[in-house]
């Protein structure tokens, strides 16, 4: 995950760019699938690359939502921050204030929130803590760049949850689903005037506001092309798995499952990713 030099605005970065860079690097170490694995629809993704792929899909989905905001909003994606490889998924600056969005793709899972606890399918995760830290960090960096206090609201955006239950609202972070995000932003009252929005936005688009040594990023068009190609392979494999499940009689499928060690190794891959 890398940034841009100060001369290149962060508006040139696209949703999930940092994640896609990492995904393609990890996926580049995965050997090509054999003919048999391709025929049976085994996923081209490895166990290591799957979480990055899922994360990219989540950030892209949220990016599509944010594209529906009006021209009064500045929307930044995959903002490199600090001195290492960390990034902020999305940064927003508009009349309703400044927001950092931490996107989490937990599609089809139950999310439960109470105070400082967030659980995904019964497992406690650190999304709230990480998002609060992210918002505080953004506030400090933007305040320094602007020369005045800049309040930042930290948001966790859960993509396509099966159910999102909030028993008690967290103190420092707002938790929303991707379906709730646009309405939430559009309903917020204005807290910044046009001049304030312009000042904060001017600082936010400068990579040196966020990163101590911003570096050149990979070519965005090339990254998009390579990710699109990988996504086609993943979708093709999924369709082939479905075709096998629907088209092979149960008895034949069971025979296939026990026919050889190779088949037994392939079948788990057919049902995942």
């Amino acid at each position: 995950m890398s940034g841009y030099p100060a001369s290149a605005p962060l508006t040139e970065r696209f949703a999930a760019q940092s994640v896609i860079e990492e995904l393609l690097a990890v996926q580049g170490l995965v050997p090509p699938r054999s003919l048999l694995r391709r025929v049976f629809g085994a996923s081209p993704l490895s166990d290591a690359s799957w979480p990055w792929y899922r994360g990219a899909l989540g950030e892209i989905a949220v990016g599509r939502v944010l594209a529906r905001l009006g021209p009064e909003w500045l929307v930044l994606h995959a903002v490199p921050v600090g001195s290492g490889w960390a990034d902020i998924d999305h940064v927003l600056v508009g009349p309703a204030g400044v927001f950092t969005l931490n996107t989490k793709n937990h599609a089809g899972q139950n999310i439960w929130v109470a105070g400082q606890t967030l659980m995904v399918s019964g497992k406690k995760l650190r999304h709230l803590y990480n998002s609060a830290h992210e918002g505080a960090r953004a506030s400090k960096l933007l305040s320094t760049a602007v020369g005045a206090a800049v309040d930042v609201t930290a948001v966790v955006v859960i993509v396509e949850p099966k159910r999102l239950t909030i028993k008690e609202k967290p103190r420092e972070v707002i938790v929303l689903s991707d379906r709730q995000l646009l309405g939430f932003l559009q309903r917020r009252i204005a807290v910044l005037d046009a001049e304030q929005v312009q000042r904060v936005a001017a600082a936010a688009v400068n990579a040196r506001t966020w990163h101590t040594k911003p570096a050149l990023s990979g070519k965005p068009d090339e990254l998009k092309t390579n990710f699109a190609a990988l996504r086609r392979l993943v979708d093709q494999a999924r369709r082939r798995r479905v075709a096998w499940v629907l088209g092979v009689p149960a008895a034949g499928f069971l025979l296939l499952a026990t026919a050889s060690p190779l088949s037994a190794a392939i079948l788990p891959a057919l049902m995942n990713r």
Side-chain angles (χ1 to χ4, degrees):
M1 305 177 192
S2 56
Y4 273 75
S7 58
L10 291 172
T11 49
E12 296 183 13
R13 293 180 68 82
F14 62 90
Q17 179 167 333
S18 297
V19 176
I20 288 173
E21 287 176 345
E22 188 65 29
L23 163 66
L24 295 176
V26 174
Q27 187 65 21
L29 303 176
V30 179
R33 294 170 296 166
S34 66
L35 175 61
L36 188 59
R37 290 179 64 82
R38 294 198 303 272
V39 168
F40 283 108
S43 174
L45 298 170
S46 68
D47 290 342
S49 56
W50 165 242
W52 294 104
Y53 180 80
R54 181 178 60 187
L57 294 183
E59 291 188 34
I60 289 170
V62 171
R64 287 197 296 266
V65 173
L66 298 176
R68 296 163 61 188
L69 288 171
E72 68 274 17
W73 285 88
L74 169 71
V75 178
L76 302 176
H77 304 292
V79 177
V81 62
S83 58
W85 299 99
D87 81 321
I88 300 174
D89 296 341
H90 316 274
V91 175
L92 315 179
V93 181
V98 184
F99 302 82
T100 54
L101 272 54
N102 188 1
T103 294
K104 296 299 177 184
N105 189 351
H106 294 304
Q109 299 185 70
N110 290 319
I111 313 299
W112 186 87
V113 180
Q116 299 307 107
T117 299
L118 185 150
M119 302 183 75
V120 178
S121 296
K123 181 179 180 180
K124 184 176 180 180
L125 297 179
R126 290 171 57 86
H127 296 341
L128 298 179
Y129 173 84
N130 293 338
S131 296
H133 174 72
E134 191 172 78
R137 190 181 199 182
S139 177
K140 181 178 180 180
L141 293 172
L142 287 171
S143 297
T144 298
V146 171
V150 176
D151 294 329
V152 175
T153 300
V155 182
V156 176
V157 183
I158 308 295
V159 176
E160 295 185 356
K162 181 178 181 180
R163 178 178 297 174
L164 173 57
T165 302
I166 300 182
K167 290 290 187 180
E168 178 187 349
K169 293 182 180 180
R171 292 192 302 271
E172 300 176 298
V173 179
I174 294 172
V175 181
L176 303 167
S177 72
D178 55 323
R179 292 185 178 182
Q180 298 171 321
L181 177 59
L182 186 63
F184 163 78
L185 292 170
Q186 292 175 335
R187 289 191 301 268
R188 303 281 289 191
I189 63 172
V191 295
L192 299 178
D193 61 30
E195 190 274 335
Q196 289 172 317
V197 170
Q198 185 176 15
R199 287 179 61 200
V200 177
V205 298
N206 187 345
R208 293 193 180 278
T209 294
W210 304 96
H211 205 283
T212 55
K213 295 180 180 179
L216 286 172
S217 172
K219 299 178 181 178
D221 290 342
E222 182 178 333
L223 290 171
K224 290 179 181 179
T225 298
N226 291 340
F227 177 75
L230 177 60
R231 190 170 185 176
R232 285 193 295 271
L233 290 178
V234 173
D235 292 343
Q236 182 185 64
R238 184 180 294 111
R239 290 193 298 269
R240 190 160 292 178
R241 293 196 299 274
V242 171
W244 273 102
V245 170
L246 296 178
V248 177
F253 193 78
L254 290 174
L255 178 62
L256 175 66
T258 57
S260 69
L262 177 60
S263 298
I266 291 175
L267 284 177
L270 300 184
M271 305 313 296
N272 294 319
R273 294 191 284 278

